[in-house]
Amino acid sequence: MNPQPEPQPFPRDQLAKAAPESALLLGAGRAILLQLAHPQIGRAIAEHSDFAANPLSRLLHTLGYIYALSNGTAEQQRTIIDYVDAAHRPVRGARDKATGAPAYSALDPRLQQWVAATLFDSARVIGSQVLPTWDHHASEELYRQYARLGDALQMPTHFWPETEAGFNDYFAGITANLHVTDQIRKLADELFTGSRAPWWIRVALPLMRDVTIAQLPPRIREQFGYELTRRVELRNRVTVRAAWAASRIFPKAIRHLPMKLMLRHVDGMASGAKSPAQPSS
């Protein structure tokens, strides 16, 4: 088996400019729930990770992956790719004959494609509402560049539809076949409870929950058992407006702080501070 070539830092493109914007974190819960709703990915997370005990771990490693692939050094990119590869390698399961649940493998490139798709779709849903530079042209470029989040792992580049219109067809087709079980609903509840999270994260989780509910596709929202109440709509609207203002008022040093912190976390992983424990992208 030939060794993987060492990654090289990507040029300053649309993804490198957009990914550090902290306002995009408003779409993180949406992306994770869309991943959980996929029958194979949801089952893999339920059976091979500590998501129920530490649901924010998946979020943190996903953010580290996005930030490293968009703005990290070659060393940071190699660290997070190796981490995710090692975490995914043992994650597989046979078809459950009793329930009909499908077989899965975290190395399945089609599953990597869906994870990358949820990250792009959630970024564009939020970005189009809050970022001043997000327009149709920027979205088309970003769409092409988001493919690197999949092809840095097991997804062949040609799996990514050539155009954003083609992606829309792909996304709609997969979304129509998503299915949320009782087990997955419990995992979603754990995500927004955050019992092991720092207090400053727990304080924000009820608001993140409402934004996620409001931004989910209606069919998926209903499957999770959420209701788009007037209170949820109001809290989402206020939060989006605040993020819109913040993305125009705050300097980059503040807006990009989460990325800087997560890249330090990736550096810590490289020094052995972390070890593979779960699927994380």
Side-chain angles (χ1 to χ4, degrees):
M1 181 176 179
N2 294 327
Q4 284 185 288
E6 287 300 313
Q8 297 298 320
F10 292 100
R12 291 292 299 174
D13 54 18
Q14 290 291 338
L15 178 58
K17 294 175 183 177
E21 294 293 338
S22 57
L24 293 182
L25 293 175
L26 291 178
R30 180 184 186 275
I32 290 178
L33 261 58
L34 286 170
Q35 293 166 27
L36 285 172
H38 191 289
Q40 292 166 288
I41 296 174
R43 187 182 168 205
I45 292 172
E47 295 180 355
H48 289 271
S49 78
D50 64 347
F51 189 97
N54 190 16
L56 293 179
S57 177
R58 182 176 180 86
L59 171 62
L60 292 176
H61 288 111
T62 299
L63 292 177
Y65 184 73
I66 293 171
Y67 293 144
L69 267 291
S70 63
N71 285 273
T73 64
E75 182 180 0
Q76 289 167 334
Q77 291 169 21
R78 172 52 58 204
T79 296
I80 199 69
I81 289 172
D82 287 348
Y83 177 92
V84 176
D85 272 339
H88 284 176
R89 207 168 294 126
V91 179
R92 55 173 55 87
R95 182 178 181 275
D96 189 323
K97 295 180 180 179
T99 64
Y104 62 85
S105 167
L107 299 180
D108 184 338
R110 294 294 183 186
L111 301 187
Q112 294 292 347
Q113 180 184 12
W114 178 245
V115 170
T118 66
L119 297 175
F120 168 71
D121 187 67
S122 295
R124 68 173 176 174
V125 165
I126 298 299
S128 63
Q129 298 175 67
V130 302
L131 296 185
T133 58
W134 198 291
D135 54 26
H136 177 71
H137 176 68
S139 181
E140 285 286 351
E141 286 192 39
L142 271 170
Y143 167 69
R144 291 189 292 273
Q145 292 155 14
Y146 257 86
R148 79 176 59 145
L149 299 184
D151 63 31
L153 292 171
Q154 291 85 23
M155 187 195 83
T157 303
H158 70 268
F159 276 25
W160 200 247
E162 291 185 6
T163 65
E164 193 171 353
F167 173 86
N168 293 339
D169 292 337
Y170 158 78
F171 193 87
I174 298 294
T175 302
N177 291 299
L178 297 181
H179 178 66
V180 180
T181 64
D182 289 340
Q183 182 183 41
I184 295 305
R185 291 187 192 94
K186 291 179 182 178
L187 291 181
D189 290 341
E190 291 289 344
L191 175 65
F192 295 119
T193 300
S195 56
R196 289 178 54 182
W199 68 267
W200 51 273
I201 291 181
R202 293 200 305 273
V203 168
L205 285 176
L207 187 61
M208 174 64 78
R209 178 182 183 273
D210 286 345
V211 172
T212 299
I213 290 172
Q215 301 288 343
L216 277 171
R219 179 178 174 276
I220 307 306
R221 179 168 57 233
E222 293 170 6
Q223 286 205 34
F224 273 103
Y226 298 138
E227 293 185 32
L228 187 59
T229 64
R230 292 182 62 183
R231 177 177 177 275
V232 168
E233 287 186 299
L234 176 61
R235 285 163 68 92
N236 171 69
R237 187 162 56 249
V238 169
T239 303
V240 168
R241 286 179 178 174
W244 183 93
S247 67
R248 289 156 174 78
I249 296 173
F250 291 162
K252 284 184 179 181
I254 295 177
R255 303 197 319 268
H256 295 186
L257 182 59
M259 181 188 73
K260 294 178 181 178
L261 294 175
M262 283 309 309
L263 288 179
R264 289 181 187 174
H265 174 73
V266 172
D267 289 336
M269 294 165 63
S271 64
K274 301 292 180 182
S275 61
Q278 69 172 64
S280 46
S281 78

